[in-house]
Amino acid sequence: MALFPPLPPFADVLRRSVAELVGTFALVFVGCGAILTAGPDAGAGNLEVALAFGLVVGVMVSALSHISGGHFNPAVTLGFLITRRLSLVLAVAYWLVQFAGAVLAALLLRWIYPETQEATLGAPALAPNIELGAGLVLEAVLTFFLVWVVFATLADSRGAYTAIAGLAVGFTITFDILVGGPLTGAAMNPARAFGPELVANVWDDFWIWYVGPLAGGAIAALLYDELYLRSARPVPVGPPETGVEEPGAGMAATEVRMGVESPPPAGNEPGKLT
């Protein structure tokens, strides 16, 4: 079994990467733009900022997930890579365009907004009463929620929100920012942090918004994949006296990474999808 999926052709990498570039650009431009509009004070307009990030992510995931998967976040891409749902080449291409899209958005914000209003271009920052360790854990937990929902809606075809995954992902972004926005900025996204940090040249405690989201996202991806998306033998329904027929000898439920059939439909070979 190959470590990663087969390499996609160059044209496919290009098309998917452009979608990731547009989505990440929109995320940073709209979300950080809302921060600049709300004002430089920490926590100012947190509800508006949460809605701006949630709406733009929800719309872009809904619009582009069928092309690129709708990641727009290196932590999400890492989760798909380590669970072998994305080739290494495609993951690297996603990371490059995600960071590039964030930088381009920050540059445009710097040009649009007056210098007195630019502040740090929406770069995340710790609140004065938050310690480094607490900020790191908070970013990891918030990103865990985000990647968990992404896997439950975009990777798991059994999810209730599969057809409208963007709605669930956008809601997760919103409630995460409502909780963590005034404390750490609730970036949950290394690219979203990197763009404003680079353009505004603000690097205070910068590692928090890289280590925290990447660790939290990786844990969520591995845990969801191991618990719900890997093949497993069917659990017996119950003893015969319950009136429920148990699976017969050699009759295993067919489980695949993107859906479950149990037991196999009549006429199909066990373990073979049609």
Side-chain angles (χ1 to χ4, degrees):
M1 180 174 159
L3 182 60
F4 296 111
L7 300 181
F10 175 77
D12 188 49
V13 172
L14 179 62
R15 289 187 297 107
R16 293 172 184 245
S17 297
V18 170
E20 285 294 306
L21 175 69
V22 171
T24 310
F25 177 92
L27 185 159
V28 175
F29 183 77
V30 173
C32 292
I35 294 174
L36 296 179
T37 299
D41 296 334
N46 192 53
L47 176 59
E48 292 85 348
V49 171
L51 289 174
F53 273 109
L55 287 172
V56 69
V57 171
V59 169
M60 285 298 163
V61 169
S62 298
L64 299 173
S65 62
H66 68 289
I67 299 173
S68 68
H71 296 186
F72 318 137
N73 185 336
V76 174
T77 299
L78 177 63
F80 277 78
L81 176 66
I82 62 178
T83 56
R84 300 195 299 273
R85 297 174 180 279
L86 198 67
S87 72
L88 181 60
V89 168
L90 196 57
V92 171
Y94 277 18
W95 285 329
L96 290 175
V97 297
Q98 286 162 357
F99 283 106
V103 172
L104 290 174
L107 286 170
L108 187 57
L109 289 173
R110 179 179 175 181
W111 180 70
I112 291 174
Y113 282 83
E115 187 174 351
T116 55
Q117 197 175 354
E118 284 179 9
T120 59
L121 294 174
L126 288 179
N129 59 333
I130 298 296
E131 297 180 356
L132 292 177
L136 178 67
V137 170
L138 179 58
E139 282 291 323
V141 170
L142 296 179
T143 311
F144 178 97
F145 293 153
L146 174 60
V147 175
W148 184 269
V149 171
V150 167
F151 265 70
T153 56
L154 289 171
D156 191 342
S157 62
R158 301 165 299 175
Y161 279 87
T162 300
I164 50 172
L167 182 64
V169 175
F171 281 166
T172 307
I173 293 283
T174 301
F175 71 62
D176 273 358
I177 294 177
L178 288 175
V179 173
L183 304 177
T184 65
M188 302 168 280
N189 184 332
R192 172 259 180 273
F194 178 76
E197 285 174 343
L198 179 67
V199 176
N201 195 26
V202 177
W203 300 102
D204 294 342
D205 306 317
F206 72 94
W207 57 273
I208 289 176
W209 295 280
Y210 300 87
V211 176
L214 291 174
I219 293 171
L222 290 171
L223 189 59
Y224 194 97
D225 185 72
E226 183 65 31
L227 289 176
Y228 307 118
L229 296 178
R230 288 191 180 277
S231 298
R233 295 182 61 83
V235 178
V237 177
E241 58 267 22
T242 64
V244 180
E245 185 177 353
E246 295 188 64
M251 183 179 176
T254 300
E255 178 169 351
V256 295
R257 298 177 75 86
M258 292 297 290
V260 177
E261 294 177 345
S262 177
N268 287 349
E269 299 178 15
K272 183 176 180 181
L273 295 180
T274 57

